[in-house]
Amino acid sequence: MNNLSYLNENELRMLSSQNPSERRMAVEDLLSKELDEEGVKLLSSMLLDPDKGVRDSASFTLIFNAHPLIPKYVVPYISSEDIALRNLAGEILLRIKESSLGAMTDYLEKANDDDQKFLIDIMGLIGSDKPVPRILEVLYSSNNDNVILSCIEALGNIGFSESIPALIKLYEGNELYKPTIAEALGKMNSREALDFLFSKYPVEDDLTKFSIIESLGHLGEETTFYFLLSELNKINGPLVWPVIASLYELKAKFNLELPFDESMKNSIVYTLTDAEPRYKKAAASLITVFDDKDIMDTLIRIYGEDSEIDESIKPAFYKYSKLFYAKLPEVIRKTPKNLSGLLWLLKDITEFDNSETLNLLSQVDKRNLSDTVALCLNNPDEEIRRTAIELLFLMNVDYALLFIDSMVEDDNIWNRLKVLEIIENIFTPETNQALKKMALDEEEMIRERAAWTLEQRGLTDLTTKTE
């Protein structure tokens, strides 16, 4: 440390302090220092500090200091048996981006299979074509399947189309690599890749077809869109998911119309219900063209699972709100895990058009919805009870007043306060009696506000009798 002439004695002392806070501050101060090689070595060694705060500060400083030797001294840490340290070094190299590629390609010479895979993964994520020659060397020379798969994936992430002939040759030679190669080819924006994948689709197993279908969405043309539509009538199971995702991608790319038929509807419902989130998001983006009870039922059941999906499907609830009102009671009665979100959605939709669509419902459907919401007044979740209180008064004041006794006795003070806020502007014998009860509430805030409201109404007798 004595060679670090640009550091004063206090800074040197803090770097070796027994106090982690002092070490952390000293490391952070190096962010704007013009380090020499000794300084870079010292800073890199702080990744070994026993304190997580110091390690995090060292990582931040290494990422943003911009000294060209930083990657050279960080790369060896990817060989650590400590997974946390290994990942931290990888994150630093990834964040430094292209400046780290030279040190990583140099280190590949001495790296074992695990380290080669780790470094090549990072190179692929950086996305520069500078390390491609070295990646290809590893691809041709390695006997380790995991390393080879990483090379294939990296070439795809980089989008290096000159590697297409090599990947096609590898595709024909090893079944294991086919899905990964199909995925990589889909990222290369090449007619050669598109034609090759089309030629292989009919003869491959479902696992490889899955990857090919996804790549067709990236590479495809208008004819690909119609080909995938026809496939929906022939396939079933999880293969439906990438078809839906690719149709969505091609529809957006070429401004194409999606047919509303039974096959498409069933495929979307199946994807929304059973697929992984990324496929659900694509399906959710396709549903706004459907006015269908099965679709609505599915949307209600998945609402709240993912905020991005919610944003895609929300317009359908507003557009087909009458259908939403009709389907909601049977779902609510089963007390689903997304009950809170559904009640908030119901409240938003009802307020959005000032109950106009709600009032178009038949008396039977409207009463069924009100009865279902009223059941939520007994829910153990205070937020659900509060939303139910607001909804009942929003939908039908007279009906809500049938439950006023239980509302004013809610266990939660904020729920009782919400009731008080609502009934302050409702002038009926029932609300007068409720206010008298609340004027005797155990909470002073509620007692005083209820008493003041009664006084404004000229009611000072707190006897709770029928008026």
Side-chain angles (χ1 to χ4, degrees), residues 92-140:
I92 294 167
L93 295 169
L94 179 59
R95 295 283 297 277
I96 294 174
K97 297 184 178 178
E98 290 195 24
S99 298
S100 67
L101 290 172
M104 285 195 285
T105 52
D106 289 344
Y107 198 78
L108 280 175
E109 299 284 350
K110 64 186 87 171
N112 62 24
D113 289 338
D114 288 341
D115 294 346
Q116 281 191 338
K117 179 188 183 316
F118 192 78
L119 289 172
I120 290 170
D121 284 343
I122 296 171
M123 291 176 187
L125 292 173
I126 291 172
S128 168
D129 63 3
K130 289 181 180 179
V132 164
R134 189 71 186 95
I135 293 173
L136 287 171
E137 286 180 23
V138 175
L139 176 66
Y140 296 140

Side-chain angles (χ1 to χ4, degrees), residues 180-319:
T180 306
I181 291 173
E183 183 179 344
L185 291 174
K187 299 175 182 178
M188 292 188 178
N189 194 26
S190 161
R191 179 73 202 200
E192 181 184 4
L194 177 60
D195 289 344
F196 177 76
L197 292 173
F198 255 123
S199 72
K200 292 300 175 183
Y201 177 80
V203 299
E204 298 296 358
D205 60 23
D206 283 356
L207 180 61
T208 304
K209 279 185 175 181
F210 200 103
S211 295
I212 290 175
I213 292 168
E214 288 196 314
S215 290
L216 292 179
H218 306 324
L219 295 174
E221 303 167 340
E222 290 191 34
T223 53
T224 314
F225 178 83
Y226 296 107
F227 166 74
L228 292 174
L229 279 179
S230 68
E231 283 299 292
L232 281 182
N233 297 314
K234 305 173 186 176
I235 62 175
N236 51 53
L239 272 183
V240 168
W241 307 341
V243 172
I244 290 296
S246 290
L247 284 172
Y248 168 69
E249 193 169 352
L250 293 168
K251 175 183 182 296
K253 188 188 299 184
F254 298 109
N255 194 28
L256 299 169
E257 291 297 321
L258 198 70
F260 178 24
D261 56 29
E262 199 67 15
S263 175
M264 178 59 64
K265 186 194 83 170
N266 292 338
S267 297
I268 288 178
V269 169
Y270 171 56
T271 305
L272 287 172
T273 305
D274 295 334
E276 296 174 9
R278 63 191 176 115
Y279 302 112
K280 284 187 177 184
K281 289 172 185 177
S285 299
L286 296 175
I287 52 81
T288 52
V289 300
F290 292 96
D291 178 4
D292 182 275
K293 60 182 178 60
D294 292 330
I295 292 282
M296 181 57 69
D297 184 67
T298 302
L299 297 186
I300 289 172
R301 294 176 192 281
I302 68 167
Y303 185 76
E305 285 184 5
D306 181 282
S307 59
E308 194 174 330
I309 293 175
D310 288 350
E311 287 305 308
S312 293
I313 65 179
K314 251 186 178 181
F317 293 122
Y318 287 85
K319 186 175 181 180

Side-chain angles (χ1 to χ4, degrees), residues 125-190:
L125 292 173
I126 291 172
S128 168
D129 63 3
K130 289 181 180 179
V132 164
R134 189 71 186 95
I135 293 173
L136 287 171
E137 286 180 23
V138 175
L139 176 66
Y140 296 140
S141 62
S142 179
N143 295 315
N144 184 285
D145 287 336
N146 288 329
V147 173
I148 292 171
L149 288 169
S150 287
C151 291
I152 296 167
E153 187 174 346
L155 291 169
N157 287 334
I158 294 168
F160 191 70
S161 57
E162 287 87 341
S163 65
I164 290 176
L167 293 180
I168 288 177
K169 182 177 180 181
L170 196 60
Y171 184 100
E172 302 290 6
N174 194 316
E175 294 285 329
L176 175 66
Y177 306 147
K178 285 184 176 182
T180 306
I181 291 173
E183 183 179 344
L185 291 174
K187 299 175 182 178
M188 292 188 178
N189 194 26
S190 161

Side-chain angles (χ1 to χ4, degrees), residues 375-444:
L375 293 174
C376 299
L377 293 173
N378 298 317
N379 194 283
D381 186 306
E382 62 195 41
E383 294 279 354
I384 289 175
R385 298 198 305 275
R386 190 179 312 152
T387 308
I389 289 168
E390 294 182 70
L391 268 168
L392 287 172
F393 279 104
L394 184 62
M395 292 190 296
N396 188 323
V397 171
D398 290 337
Y399 183 79
L401 290 175
L402 296 176
F403 302 92
I404 191 67
D405 287 342
S406 64
M407 291 180 185
V408 300
E409 293 175 357
D410 193 283
D411 292 339
N412 183 270
I413 178 178
W414 303 110
N415 287 5
R416 299 199 301 279
L417 188 60
K418 174 56 68 176
V419 175
L420 180 51
E421 289 175 359
I422 294 171
I423 67 175
E424 280 176 336
N425 298 308
I426 300 174
F427 299 88
T428 68
E430 293 87 354
T431 57
N432 288 340
Q433 290 298 318
L435 286 167
K436 289 179 179 182
K437 284 186 178 180
M438 300 186 92
L440 302 173
D441 195 275
E442 60 184 20
E443 293 290 340
E444 182 180 1

